[in-house]
Amino acid sequence: MNNTLNLFRIDAENHELMGAQLAAFSRQVPLLYFILSVNSIALASTHLGIAPTILTVVFPGVLVGACAIRCLIWLQRRNRVVEPKAAARTLRATVVLGGALGFAFLAWALSLFPYGDTSRHGHILFFVGITVVSCIFCLMHVRPAALILTGTVIAPFVVFLLASGDVVHIAIGLNLFLVTVAMIYILIICSGQFAAMVNGQMETRRLSNENFRLANVDSLTDLPNRRQFFHRLSILAEQARTANHRFVVGVLDLDGFKAVNDLYGHGVGDRVLKETGQRLLKVSDDTQFIARLGGDEFGIIVDAGLGSEAVLAVGARICSVFDAPFSVAGIVAKIGGSVGFALAPDAGTTAELLYERADYALYHAKARYRGQPVIFSREHEVEIRKLSTIEHTLRRIDLDAELSLHFQPIVNVGTSRLVGFEALARWHNPELGNVAPGVFISVAERTELIGTITQVLLRKALSAVSSWPDGLFLSFNLSMRDLISQGTILQIVAIIESSGIDPRRIIIEVTETALMQDYERVQESLRILRSMGLKVALDDFGSGQSSLSYVHQLSLDKIKIDRGFVRNIAMQENARNIVKTVIDLCRNLKFDCVVEGVETAEQVEIISRLGCSTMQGYFFARPMPQGEVEAFIADFGLSGDRRLVAAAG
């Protein structure tokens, strides 16, 4: 019963189907009313002068006029967007009106029956039959209307023919009934197929929209993803090139996120990233486009011609979202954010160049103004060119010929003994002169050159160690790129094994920054080196973030306290307290402790009093070339130095 009733209902819940039904019906309405009007005029004309004027002129004129009005109404609606509720009302009205008009045409046709002869009776029968068939086809996509019209016309007409007592009329009635049943069957099948087609198109559209969303939206944060960011950036960059359109590109990177991710797991890290996206949206306006580019990096496009001060204000607002700590699953995590901006078209007119320069401004911010916005400037462009020149030169020179090492002594003031040297890279180029280690090492770390440079310097360092007394160790730095490259680590192992130097005399120094890049791979690399007998020191302790988490998780042998804490140790109690805390931590964890950057006898005395005796700095000696190391060792003497005794005394 419900299935039967559903055949006569408009599916008001299926908005797409109703829209398709209205669109199809609006195209067929003119044809429907044309057929009704032509058939009515033809039938009325064959009864002129035979039937009363009201039946041959007035009544058909009213019906044809009603058809014309309805046709005009539908033509006006043809291109309008109809809301679902209005569509449902229109379709229901069509069902009711279709039945009413059908019954009106039938009543008029039957009212002509008493006035005609056999041929005119045949015309009436033809009129009713062809009109119903035509209406069924025209109303096929609005099944309830077609069924109601068929029922209000065919049922009474068949009854009329069967009751006439005329054998021919009875045969025609039965014939018409059977044909109508077949037509209804076809109608139900076709309307069902139409609904299925519309639903299939809906599903196809839904899947297409979902695919578009997946291709352009970051699944974690629901922000636009890298693809959509660069698509929009490319469009704006083209406008900047052709029409001098001004806009701003920004790249945001989280400070300290890697430590949170490693310490608390990816689940907590993901929730921090998701909340970061929500915070960024809250401080953005209609001119700002926020996207997640990957990892803990976000992209910002400000489609407005802002000056430098306004851009810095936007950047300050973005960085302020990190003022409040992140509370996730009972864990409170404090992270920051640095952002670099490039202003188009001044900084470039291609998407790639604008992004690179915003990314360089971000690099500059993280290196010198962590937690603040930085705008790419002409000074940065000069610096980029300089670094590009350095990179190009590094690629073409004989590294073994131009790279060298200086060695800075590490002493134990408690025993007045020289215990080892730290190897420090140096580069002199005939064209560039002396290039600062922090500059060329940084350039090499951003390329694949660092692995080759590390191997060249390690060979030189081990060659120098071979001439030292057996009691002295070598402290050698490995970069982040070295530690995450399995190939470089295997080369380092091979170099050490072929050198003949006891691995126990080698200390590998790593920084917190290196550890934060890929903790698991770094840990595996250190495990390989420690298995050979090498020791591991955490360099520049306290200059990074979340140091204690790495101290807790890594098997370290030594911690080197950053020189930043030593600089003011004679004047600031806080500095002394921090150094004392780290020294006590090392003692409790059974780590060796080295204090870097010692420059005065007063600092030596304070550090000794705090409990650390192993130190390094200008007070003892500046870094020296290998040719001066042997003389320094001989002059220092393994038995002690009176100056150290006096300083510690």
Side-chain angles (χ1 to χ4, degrees):
M1 185 65 179
N2 286 334
N3 291 336
T4 302
L5 291 176
N6 286 335
L7 295 175
F8 295 88
R9 289 188 183 130
I10 297 296
D11 188 359
E13 300 299 321
N14 193 334
H15 300 165
E16 292 281 343
L17 178 59
M18 287 194 301
Q21 288 174 328
L22 276 177
F25 184 51
S26 65
R27 291 191 296 269
Q28 295 163 354
V29 158
L31 181 61
L32 170 65
Y33 287 122
F34 172 78
I35 292 171
L36 287 173
S37 299
V38 169
N39 288 352
S40 299
I41 293 170
L43 183 61
S45 65
T46 59
H47 287 76
L48 281 173
I50 299 174
T53 303
I54 192 172
L55 294 179
T56 58
V57 178
V58 177
F59 204 84
V62 171
L63 292 176
V64 171
C67 289
I69 293 171
R70 291 296 300 168
C71 186
L72 289 174
I73 292 173
W74 274 99
L75 287 174
Q76 289 177 345
R77 291 174 175 172
R78 198 166 195 166
N79 297 318
R80 291 181 185 176
V81 177
V82 183
E83 294 295 324
K85 289 184 179 180
R89 286 196 302 269
T90 300
L91 290 174
R92 290 190 182 110
T94 299
V95 173
V96 174
L97 190 59
L101 278 175
F103 188 78
F105 275 101
L106 175 65
W108 171 64
L110 293 181
S111 68
L112 294 173
F113 213 81
Y115 301 100
D117 53 16
T118 302
S119 61
R120 287 181 174 83
H121 289 169
H123 192 180
I124 293 172
L125 297 177
F126 173 81
F127 169 80
V128 175
I130 196 66
T131 300
V132 169
V133 171
S134 301
C135 289
I136 288 176
F137 275 106
C138 290
L139 292 170
M140 183 175 294
H141 298 108
V142 189
R143 184 182 60 211
L147 292 175
I148 291 293
L149 185 143
T150 303
T152 56
V153 174
I154 294 298
F157 189 56
V158 169
V159 171
F160 171 80
L161 293 175
L162 294 178
S164 67
D166 186 287
V167 175
V168 175
H169 289 173
I170 293 173
I172 292 173
L174 291 174
N175 187 14
L176 186 60
F177 173 76
L178 293 175
V179 170
T180 302
V181 170
M183 292 292 295
I184 290 173
Y185 177 74
I186 295 172
L187 168 68
I188 292 173
I189 291 177
C190 290
S191 64
Q193 290 175 342
F194 178 75
M197 180 190 70
V198 172
N199 290 333
Q201 290 175 343
M202 279 177 54
E203 181 63 14
T204 300
R205 195 177 302 115
R206 186 191 68 80
L207 291 174
S208 177
N209 292 338
E210 179 64 14
N211 288 336
F212 178 83
R213 192 190 73 81
L214 291 174
N216 292 277
V217 176
D218 176 60
S219 59
L220 175 63
T221 62
D222 285 331
L223 292 173
N225 63 7
R226 186 181 189 89
R227 177 178 179 176
Q228 190 174 166
F229 174 83
F230 279 100
H231 175 70
R232 179 166 297 202
L233 181 56
S234 297
I235 293 173
L236 290 174
E238 179 64 18
Q239 294 176 6
R241 187 182 67 82
T242 58
N244 202 39
H245 181 67
R246 303 188 68 81
F247 66 98
V248 182
V249 183
V251 182
L252 168 72
D253 189 79
L254 307 191
D255 302 324
F257 173 77
K258 180 68 175 172
V260 172
N261 212 32
D262 289 342
L263 186 60
Y264 302 115
H266 293 291
V268 171
D270 286 349
R271 291 175 66 177
V272 167
L273 291 174
K274 190 171 184 178
E275 186 176 335
T276 297
Q278 294 170 352
R279 292 187 184 187
L280 290 173
L281 288 177
K282 286 181 180 178
V283 301
S284 63
D285 57 32
D286 293 339
T287 66
Q288 296 171 21
F289 177 80
I290 309 293
R292 183 186 176 212
L293 304 183
D296 60 342
E297 188 174 82
F298 294 81
I300 302 137
I301 297 176
V302 186
D303 192 3
L306 303 181
S308 296
E309 290 187 6
V311 172
L312 290 175
V314 170
R317 192 160 61 249
I318 288 171
C319 293
S320 71
V321 304
F322 302 102
D323 290 346
F326 291 78
S327 182
V328 178
I331 297 167
V332 177
K334 185 68 176 78
I335 64 174
S338 302
V339 60
F341 290 109
L343 277 59
D346 299 339
T349 55
T350 67
E352 295 78 9
L353 186 58
L354 286 167
Y355 174 78
E356 287 176 4
R357 293 188 164 179
D359 191 54
Y360 186 82
L362 169 65
Y363 171 80
H364 191 78
K366 292 182 76 70
R368 303 180 189 178
Y369 304 101
R370 189 174 288 264
Q372 299 179 40
V374 169
I375 300 175
F376 183 85
S377 65
R378 292 187 180 276
E379 289 75 14
H380 294 146
E381 187 168 0
V382 171
E383 189 172 352
I384 285 178
R385 289 176 181 172
K386 177 183 175 183
L387 296 179
S388 178
T389 301
I390 291 173
E391 179 182 343
H392 177 71
T393 305
L394 278 173
R395 290 184 183 279
R396 65 180 175 80
I397 64 169
D398 181 352
L399 294 174
D400 194 65
E402 294 193 13
L403 294 179
S404 63
L405 288 169
H406 279 201
F407 298 88
Q408 185 171 35
I410 302 171
V411 302
N412 186 319
V413 298
T415 60
S416 298
R417 295 177 65 87
L418 176 66
V419 294
F421 290 87
E422 179 180 359
L424 301 169
R426 296 290 185 267
W427 177 29
H428 178 79
N429 178 262
E431 298 174 4
L432 303 178
N434 291 321
V435 183
V439 175
F440 78 82
I441 292 296
S442 177
V443 170
E445 282 184 332
R446 294 202 298 271
T447 69
E448 74 282 0
L449 291 170
I450 188 63
T452 303
I453 289 175
T454 295
Q455 294 169 44
V456 169
L457 294 176
L458 181 59
R459 289 191 184 95
K460 290 178 179 288
L462 294 175
S463 175
V465 172
S466 64
S467 64
W468 298 351
D470 291 341
L472 298 180
F473 66 76
L474 168 71
S475 195
F476 190 85
N477 291 274
L478 291 185
S479 76
M480 173 270 296
R481 292 288 291 266
D482 293 329
L483 291 166
I484 63 175
S485 170
Q486 186 178 21
T488 300
I489 292 299
L490 293 178
Q491 286 293 329
I492 289 172
V493 170
I495 291 171
I496 293 173
E497 288 179 342
S498 64
S499 70
I501 302 298
D502 186 349
R504 291 174 295 181
R505 295 179 61 191
I506 303 171
I507 297 175
I508 294 299
E509 293 191 13
V510 297
T511 64
E512 296 173 36
T513 303
L515 298 177
M516 291 168 66
Q517 299 302 314
D518 191 332
Y519 175 75
E520 293 181 358
R521 188 172 294 184
V522 169
Q523 192 176 40
E524 174 61 20
S525 296
L526 294 180
R527 186 194 63 77
I528 293 172
L529 297 175
R530 285 177 59 84
S531 67
M532 297 179 64
L534 279 74
K535 296 180 180 179
V536 177
L538 184 59
D539 194 15
D540 300 332
F541 183 83
S543 62
Q545 299 188 32
S546 303
S547 304
L548 291 178
S549 68
Y550 294 113
V551 171
H552 172 71
Q553 295 177 59
L554 282 172
S555 297
L556 299 174
D557 299 290
K558 183 177 296 189
I559 287 178
K560 300 186 77 173
I561 300 176
D562 185 64
R563 67 185 68 247
F565 297 116
V566 178
R567 188 176 299 114
N568 299 317
I569 197 169
M571 298 172 289
Q572 295 181 358
E573 185 179 357
N574 282 343
R576 292 193 293 274
N577 291 338
I578 291 172
V579 172
K580 172 63 174 173
T581 300
V582 178
I583 292 171
D584 290 342
L585 173 69
C586 292
R587 183 183 298 111
N588 293 333
L589 295 177
K590 296 181 173 56
F591 294 159
D592 291 335
C593 181
V594 179
V595 177
E596 299 179 294
V598 179
E599 297 183 359
T600 67
E602 184 180 16
Q603 291 173 346
V604 172
E605 189 275 328
I606 292 172
I607 294 168
S608 299
R609 191 158 21 93
L610 293 176
C612 180
S613 58
T614 308
M615 305 177 200
Q616 176 181 350
Y618 286 176
F619 176 76
F620 308 104
R622 291 177 176 272
M624 62 194 76
Q626 168 60 17
E628 299 177 11
V629 170
E630 292 185 17
F632 179 84
I633 294 173
D635 182 60
F636 190 93
L638 295 179
S639 61
D641 182 273
R642 290 189 181 88
R643 187 167 61 120
L644 296 184
V645 174

